[in-house]
Amino acid sequence: MKIPVIAADVTVEPSGNSRVLWISSLAFALGFAVWGMFAALAPFLIKWYDFSATQVLILTAMEPFFAAAVSIPLGILTDKFGGRSVFTLLLLVLTLPLLLGYFAQGYYTFLLVGTLLGLGGATFVVGNAHVSSWYPKSKQGTALGIFGMGNVGITVGMVTVTFLVTRVLSGPDGWRLIFPIFASATFLMALVYWFFTSDPPNRKLKKTSLREIFAVYRSGAVVWLVTYLYWVSFGTLTFFASAMSIYLLDQWHVDAIRASMVYTPPLVICVAATRPLGGWLADRSDPFRILRWLFGIMVVLALLMTLQISLPVQLVAMYGLALMSGAAAAAVIKLIPMYFVHVGAVSGLAKAAGAACGFAMTMILAMSKQLLGDYTLGFAIWALMNVAAFYIVLSRVGFRDTKPLIERPSGTREILTASGA
């Protein structure tokens, strides 16, 4: 009688890698710092170039638009080739539009540079997939929550740019030096990422075809519901980071420096601060139960924001939404490895949605102002999007008939993930 040879288990999960986690988080923070540059410059461009509030809102909306466009292919490439290679290449490519920014002149040139800097926002999907590949599912919520604190990079970018423009790089064109400064930092980070990170040892054992990766997008409702939940949760950050400094300047007549350095940066800090908490709670409890509370509170705050009662009330609603959305984004990210094997592909789709939300909502806010003379309709649409997210997590529509991977019988994981069963 022959004794069957049992192949090595190629699905054994690594126990974690703190070096990859922290370097990925720093690289992600730098990418978001680059992404925050134009949000900081926007109020000054109104003054320097006599742009309208609507023009500048469109300009800041182009970064999340391009981030959305490239997130899905970057997520697929990360699943296929590994986070180390893709993240390093992404950082190197990002240095090119930063160098181009030094020579920008006129609205359409700024529009082109601002669009290409959306690559900084796409660092999330690559780092998210790289970090998750190093951690078991029982620890991914916490690890990805820590990684998500890299959102604070937007604040670093906004404060740094505003400080350099107003205090250091004086003169007619001195502010342009911010572009080569950020380009140098991005190039150095690319070198650090290549030489000091690695892909997990079990990655070389996995042979994943593009057909298998693309199959996840046809797998059923769950992939799109997770994507929508991330549209609302992470979209809060991309929407606020793109639009709030201009909104505060135009609606409440807040000084440009104050809007960029005092009021807007805490929004990003609030999102970053609660992401580890949201991931930790999602590791230890039912993510849907956590999300019910978070989205429920977000609905109330979004409705309050729509009323635009006063600047203090508006700030309370904005900061409250930022706090809730940070935790919600981490809890939603926890759902991805629970239901899907190809984390990069799904997180790429989710990140594309989160970035696209920043673009779409900033454009809606700009059109609301342009056509109706105020921002009420834009915020009302935002409130309705929060209501829809709350309904999804409350009813679990689409999720009730789909078991998480950890609850599926051994040996069926890959097939079920591809088919969406």
Side-chain angles (χ1 to χ4, degrees):
M1 178 179 179
K2 286 188 177 181
I3 299 176
V5 177
I6 301 175
D9 183 3
V10 301
T11 63
V12 171
E13 298 173 311
S15 59
N17 188 316
S18 58
R19 177 184 290 183
V20 168
L21 174 59
W22 292 111
I23 293 179
S24 295
S25 300
L26 287 173
F28 169 40
L30 177 60
F32 262 43
V34 171
W35 199 10
M37 290 174 64
F38 262 73
L41 282 174
F44 296 101
L45 293 176
I46 291 175
K47 183 170 110 176
W48 295 335
Y49 291 89
D50 200 28
F51 295 155
S52 69
T54 301
Q55 282 181 304
V56 177
L57 280 170
I58 294 172
L59 177 61
T60 59
M62 295 312 295
E63 285 180 300
F65 169 77
F66 192 63
V70 299
S71 287
I72 293 176
L74 282 174
I76 293 172
L77 289 172
T78 305
D79 276 342
K80 184 69 177 173
F81 299 107
R84 175 173 173 254
S85 300
V86 177
F87 212 143
T88 301
L89 182 60
L90 174 59
L91 291 168
L92 290 174
V93 173
L94 184 56
T95 62
L96 300 179
L98 283 168
L99 294 173
L100 176 63
Y102 182 81
F103 304 98
Q105 291 286 354
Y107 182 73
Y108 292 105
T109 312
F110 283 119
L111 200 65
L112 173 63
V113 173
T115 300
L116 295 177
L117 292 184
L119 285 170
T123 55
F124 170 81
V125 63
V126 182
N128 184 81
H130 195 191
V131 170
S132 66
S133 70
W134 269 106
Y135 283 84
K137 286 182 172 51
S138 60
K139 297 180 181 179
Q140 282 179 351
T142 303
L144 295 177
I146 293 171
F147 169 76
M149 290 180 69
N151 289 334
V152 77
I154 294 182
T155 294
V156 174
M158 294 185 70
V159 172
T160 301
V161 167
T162 306
F163 176 77
L164 290 175
V165 167
T166 58
R167 303 292 178 85
V168 180
L169 305 176
S170 57
D173 288 317
W175 63 273
R176 294 181 179 278
L177 290 173
I178 63 174
F179 291 105
I181 289 172
F182 274 83
S184 299
T186 304
F187 180 77
L188 289 174
M189 181 56 73
L191 297 180
V192 169
Y193 212 92
W194 178 255
F195 288 109
F196 294 98
T197 70
S198 58
D199 290 314
N202 66 335
R203 206 201 97 70
K204 62 186 177 182
L205 300 175
K206 297 179 180 179
K207 295 182 179 179
T208 305
S209 68
L210 289 177
R211 182 178 179 181
E212 289 175 316
I213 295 172
F214 276 112
V216 76
Y217 299 137
R218 305 190 304 271
S219 63
V222 171
V223 66
W224 300 105
L225 291 171
V226 169
T227 298
Y228 180 77
L229 294 177
Y230 205 67
W231 164 286
V232 177
S233 55
F234 187 73
T236 300
L237 170 63
T238 59
F239 172 31
F240 285 2
S242 297
M244 287 305 105
S245 60
I246 303 157
Y247 166 72
L248 292 171
L249 173 69
D250 185 59
Q251 178 70 16
W252 301 102
H253 309 295
V254 175
D255 177 76
I257 297 175
R258 196 170 183 82
S260 295
M261 289 192 71
V262 178
Y263 287 141
T264 306
L267 291 169
V268 185
I269 293 173
C270 287
V271 173
T274 55
R275 284 196 76 137
L277 175 62
W280 182 81
L281 290 172
D283 275 342
R284 285 155 180 78
S285 181
D286 178 9
F288 288 97
R289 187 177 303 150
I290 305 300
L291 288 168
R292 281 201 301 267
W293 282 100
L294 294 172
F295 280 122
I297 297 171
M298 287 172 68
V299 167
V300 175
L301 292 172
L303 291 172
L304 181 62
M305 196 171 180
T306 304
L307 298 176
Q308 302 180 87
I309 297 169
S310 66
L311 178 58
V313 172
Q314 199 73 344
L315 291 173
V316 168
M318 287 163 57
Y319 294 141
L321 274 166
L323 286 167
M324 296 301 106
S325 67
V332 173
I333 285 296
K334 170 69 177 181
L335 295 175
I336 294 176
M338 283 177 59
Y339 285 91
F340 302 98
V341 170
H342 302 305
V343 174
V346 182
S347 62
L349 182 64
K351 174 58 178 67
C357 180
F359 165 74
M361 284 308 308
T362 302
M363 293 294 289
I364 288 171
L365 209 62
M367 293 303 101
S368 178
K369 174 65 176 179
Q370 182 72 16
L371 299 176
L372 302 177
D374 61 36
Y375 298 98
T376 303
L377 178 62
F379 287 127
I381 292 172
W382 179 238
L384 289 174
M385 290 181 180
N386 280 270
V387 170
F390 176 65
Y391 170 76
I392 290 170
V393 297
L394 180 66
S395 66
R396 301 198 187 203
V397 59
F399 288 92
R400 288 191 296 264
D401 299 326
T402 305
K403 289 183 179 181
L405 295 176
I406 56 175
E407 296 179 9
R408 294 175 183 170
S410 176
T412 62
R413 176 171 167 173
E414 295 289 343
I415 297 172
L416 289 170
T417 302
S419 67

